[in-house]
Amino acid sequence: MLRTVRAFWHDQKGLALILVSVMLPAIIGFSLLAIDMSRVNNLHNDLQKGADAFALAAAAELDGSSGSWVRAERAMATLVHNESNFSTAGRVPMGAGQPGGTQRCNSAGSISWCFLKAIPPSDGTKITTANQGSYLADSTPAVGEKETRFIQVTVVPEGFAAIFPASFVTSGASDSFNVGAVAVAGFTSGVCDFTPVFMCNPYEMANGINNAGGYTLEQAVSNPAVHRRLIELRKVGNGAAAGPGNFGFLEPPQGIGNGAQALAETIATSTPIGCYNSASVSTKTGQNAGPVQDAFNVRFGIKASGNNFNTPVYGPAANVRKGAIKTQGSANQCPSMNQLSFTLAGTMGLPRDATTPYLSGRMGDGNWNFSGYWSTNFHSAAYPASWDTTKPTRYEVYRYEISAGLVSSASTGGEVGTPSAACQPPVTTIDRRLIYGAILNCNALEAAGNDLSGHSTNLPVEAFGSFFLTEPVPSASDDASVMVELVDVTGGAGQGTLANFLRDEAQLYR
């Protein structure tokens, strides 16, 4: 009997069943907890992916132009549709709406959003109702749309019911809670293959007054009567103050020397390597003017001796008609400025405007002598009939000369637009008579303490633009005039000719 009791006491058969029975509640609890964690993680992922998609779709429209809030709302409403799973409501579709784009913060469908002008520098700093005022764009759309760079999208939280009984762990705890998601996306843009030049916005508002007849930059691009006004640029520094109608130089790309010759080469080349952020640029204007004059004029087939513009990337434009004929120097060399005569009868470059009533004589009225230019250079050749009703821009005429095969047509004085065979071959891959640069609101920047005649950093850009060189730069002095016609600008008001230079990207920040 005693032996039987002792054997039973030492027998371990069935012990696992006892242990499993004891641990079964814990095993079931951990299993339920793992299932709940997987479910809530999937729900949060669905919501977060939806918030990310909405934010990215909206951010791609935040280019600072008028109507960007409306376009952002439309993008969220029409381009994005998601759904979430595992909430108490089951499968829930996620969508947005279009309340009109008049408020910086709004909601529609299953999301709410706010347009922001900035975000905290540290990712560890959350944007909350307590600090949101520091980052919100202006509540007036005309102002707020221009400064909006980010959007914060918040998904309406969805209920989640856990299988694991939370009250088992903590008395009175709820088994249900809400799950939400927030995303912040922004619009970044830049331009590449741009020359390191900036122009002071000739249509900048100063103290509530626009000195260019009340037009904005966007209106100037879209209005032909304003579009064809000739602008006289002067170099910021010794020659002119940093005011509307002047230009200076941006900091050259890394790897480019800092001297005047290195700067001139980056301006003269047909394959510039500079890329600039659309939000801000840095200026570096203190270079000498001489080589810079040559950098502009090499585009007209005019090359001063001593500069290293001896490769095809410095070739002239396909059309270099400028109202001048070479009267001296060797026939087998590209002419210098002093070898050209601009006064010979029967030659006429693109004329300046008849009057210059704006910007203290620095911008014309757009009334230029088209009929005289055409009859001098092309005699009775046909041109678009619409030009008799609406005077064309100089750039339109220049481009028509190329497309209609009139470049080689001789003026009454014998000038042709075909560059001399003694120069580098003409560049046909890009338009060499166009220069590209950042457009800055120089009055406002200098009022804020920036020195545009020297080295200033992180200056906000109003737009990037293209300008047509109408005539060679006559002098190497700092006060020499660069005569241009505005062609196009980046942004919603532009004509799209700068699209190949733009690098737009919407990206998530939070």
Side-chain angles (χ1 to χ4, degrees), residues 405-446:
L406 298 174
V407 176
S408 60
S409 176
S411 69
T412 55
E415 182 193 15
V416 297
T418 308
S420 170
C423 303
Q424 297 292 344
V427 176
T428 57
T429 54
I430 64 169
D431 195 333
R432 291 283 279 155
R433 292 278 291 275
L434 291 180
I435 57 173
Y436 305 90
I439 301 176
L440 308 183
N441 288 327
C442 296
N443 280 338
L445 291 173
E446 288 219 318

Side-chain angles (χ1 to χ4, degrees), residues 279-347:
S280 63
V281 294
S282 299
T283 62
K284 197 165 188 178
T285 299
Q287 290 86 351
N288 297 327
V292 175
Q293 175 210 21
D294 301 336
F296 287 127
N297 288 347
V298 73
R299 300 161 182 263
F300 289 90
I302 304 171
K303 191 179 74 170
S305 60
N307 282 315
N308 300 320
F309 303 144
N310 299 316
T311 59
V313 297
Y314 301 113
N319 183 359
V320 298
R321 193 179 300 273
K322 49 190 171 288
I325 291 180
K326 185 177 180 181
T327 57
Q328 55 180 298
S330 173
N332 60 357
Q333 67 182 27
C334 199
S336 299
M337 182 67 74
N338 60 7
Q339 295 174 334
L340 294 169
S341 172
F342 288 83
T343 60
L344 289 180
T347 62

Side-chain angles (χ1 to χ4, degrees), residues 3 42 52 55 81 102 111 154 169 234 253 270 310 312 324 365 413 419 437:
R3 182 187 309 172
N42 286 336
D52 293 349
H81 184 80
T102 59
I111 66 170
T154 303
V169 178
R234 296 275 184 86
S270 60
N310 299 316
D365 62 355

Side-chain angles (χ1 to χ4, degrees), residues 53-54 76-83 92-96:
F54 285 118
M76 290 190 292
T78 60
L79 299 181
V80 182
H81 184 80
N82 287 281
E83 65 179 24
V92 179
M94 299 169 60

